[in-house]
Amino acid sequence: MWGKKEVIKYYELFPRVEYDKSFNVLNSLGHVFEIIYSRDKDIMHIYAYTNSQLEVLRKDFGVNENVNIPVPKFVGRISFRNEKDFYWGAEFNDFNSFLTKLQPGEQLRLWIVLEPRLNEIFLKYSDKLKRNQSIIGKRQREVLASRLEGFAKDNVYYLQPYILADDKKRIKQLIKDLQNFVLTRSRKLKMQIRKTKGWEDRQPRIPRFHGLKIKRWLWVDEEKINKVAVIPNPSIIPVNFVTGGILPELPPNRNGFEIGKTIPSGKSYKLELEDLYRHGYIIGGTGAGKTTTIISLITAIKKAYNNAIIMIFDPHGDMAEEVASYFADDEKLIYFHPVESAISINPLALPNIPNREQALLLGFSNVMEIFEKLFGLKDTAVYVKYIIQVSMQLLYSKTPEPTFRDLYL
């Protein structure tokens, strides 16, 4: 409604990455709420005005309480074209597809309000249809009366869509597109476009004494709410999302290195080196930020532990080069390239110790362990072990650093 000024507090919602098409938004936002889909250059922001407690919202969403929602220059209000459309109602297609049509700077706002007076209006009109004894249109009146009685048995919600943009032509185009998602008897919707200056977005209410104007309001039954007030699918529409439970507002008191801040309080969350002693995974698609995350971790560790030694083994080479490039100015950086760097390891070489007898014993022991693991030699492989031992004894008599090529020849 175009109403008086009303102070409203909004929240920004971050859906979970594990998209659930059957999720019932009423369980989180309640029976009276506004949901706003606001597209910027990169992502779709989701805002909501609701009476639900924060604890309830945080069961299903990440929540930011401090939001500032932009308001474009023009707003388009949408309603049924005529009274017949109001009584016959509308069929709805999933609004996820409609949201993909929003361009940067454009918004779809949906007020959804549980309104018992709609049930009363339906029942009164159903009785009126039954009292009409005219033969003309009798069957149609019977069908409509039955539909209205069916709707009146369940919760009925007043639905007020607004489309906001800086260009009137874009609003007209979006309302035209919306007709493919709100299917009415006349196949058309009524629009009113005005400037947002002086316009207040507040909860619509059916007055006690309502007239014909009210009978052009859009409405939706509870069964179809999830097609309208949708939680965008992150695989189709880019949104900010959370991957699981929200980090606790009272993070553990640690003296390690910072890995981030909690939402929405912004409190520091830290890990200690002991947390990294076990295995861990950083998983993500191409370009998701795995290397950036590793660089951030290394930076945080170096800042907290100046003497920490950090080693990276990269079989592909791309990540190692990027990390080495990032820390190129660090005088403690040591970078080895497996092909270009002049570095080699000879597992057959004798240990460099003064006592040759001990060096030979350690050398034989190391070589036997290598071959046992390479070929799975058992204790019964006596002859194989004997051949290896004799061969190495001969090689060590010639050089303290024989190679596998020497052993082969």
Side-chain angles (χ1 to χ4, degrees), residues 4-10 49 200 202:
K4 298 179 181 179
K5 188 173 182 180
E6 184 174 308
V7 178
I8 295 175
K9 184 176 182 180
Y10 289 93
Y49 165 63
E200 295 294 338
R202 70 182 186 118

Coordinates of all heavy atoms in Angstrom, one line a residue, residues 4-10 49 200 202:
K4 N 1.6 5.6 5.2 CA 2.3 6.5 6.0 C 3.7 5.9 6.4 O 3.9 4.7 6.3 CB 1.6 6.9 7.3 CG 0.2 7.6 7.0 CD -0.5 7.8 8.3 CE -1.9 8.5 8.0 NZ -2.6 8.8 9.2
K5 N 4.6 6.8 6.9 CA 5.9 6.3 7.2 C 5.9 5.3 8.4 O 5.2 5.5 9.3 CB 6.8 7.5 7.6 CG 8.2 7.2 7.7 CD 9.1 8.4 7.9 CE 10.5 8.1 8.1 NZ 11.4 9.3 8.2
E6 N 6.6 4.3 8.3 CA 6.7 3.3 9.3 C 8.1 2.8 9.4 O 8.8 2.5 8.4 CB 5.8 2.1 8.9 CG 5.7 1.0 10.0 CD 4.6 0.0 9.6 OE1 3.5 0.4 9.3 OE2 5.0 -1.2 9.6
V7 N 8.6 2.7 10.6 CA 10.0 2.3 10.8 C 10.1 0.7 10.8 O 9.4 0.1 11.5 CB 10.6 2.8 12.2 CG1 12.0 2.2 12.4 CG2 10.5 4.3 12.2
I8 N 10.9 0.2 9.9 CA 11.0 -1.2 9.6 C 12.5 -1.6 9.7 O 13.4 -0.9 9.2 CB 10.5 -1.6 8.3 CG1 9.0 -1.3 8.2 CG2 10.7 -3.1 8.0 CD1 8.4 -1.5 6.8
K9 N 12.7 -2.7 10.4 CA 14.1 -3.3 10.5 C 14.2 -4.5 9.6 O 13.4 -5.4 9.7 CB 14.4 -3.6 12.0 CG 15.8 -4.1 12.2 CD 16.1 -4.4 13.6 CE 17.6 -4.8 13.8 NZ 17.9 -5.1 15.2
Y10 N 15.2 -4.5 8.8 CA 15.5 -5.5 7.9 C 16.7 -6.4 8.3 O 17.6 -5.9 9.0 CB 15.7 -5.0 6.5 CG 14.4 -4.4 5.8 CD1 14.1 -3.1 5.9 CD2 13.6 -5.2 5.1 CE1 13.0 -2.5 5.4 CE2 12.4 -4.7 4.6 CZ 12.1 -3.4 4.7 OH 11.0 -2.8 4.1
Y49 N 12.1 -8.6 6.1 CA 11.5 -8.0 7.3 C 10.6 -9.0 7.9 O 9.7 -9.5 7.3 CB 10.7 -6.7 6.9 CG 9.8 -6.2 8.0 CD1 10.3 -5.8 9.3 CD2 8.4 -6.3 7.9 CE1 9.5 -5.4 10.3 CE2 7.6 -5.8 8.9 CZ 8.1 -5.4 10.1 OH 7.3 -5.0 11.1
E200 N 6.6 4.8 0.7 CA 7.0 4.1 1.9 C 6.6 2.6 1.7 O 5.5 2.3 1.4 CB 6.4 4.6 3.2 CG 6.8 6.0 3.5 CD 8.3 6.1 3.9 OE1 8.8 5.1 4.3 OE2 8.9 7.2 3.8
R202 N 5.6 -0.4 3.4 CA 5.2 -0.9 4.7 C 4.2 -2.0 4.5 O 3.7 -2.3 3.4 CB 4.5 0.3 5.5 CG 3.2 0.7 4.9 CD 2.6 1.9 5.8 NE 1.3 2.3 5.3 CZ 0.2 2.2 6.1 NH1 0.4 1.7 7.4 NH2 -0.9 2.6 5.7

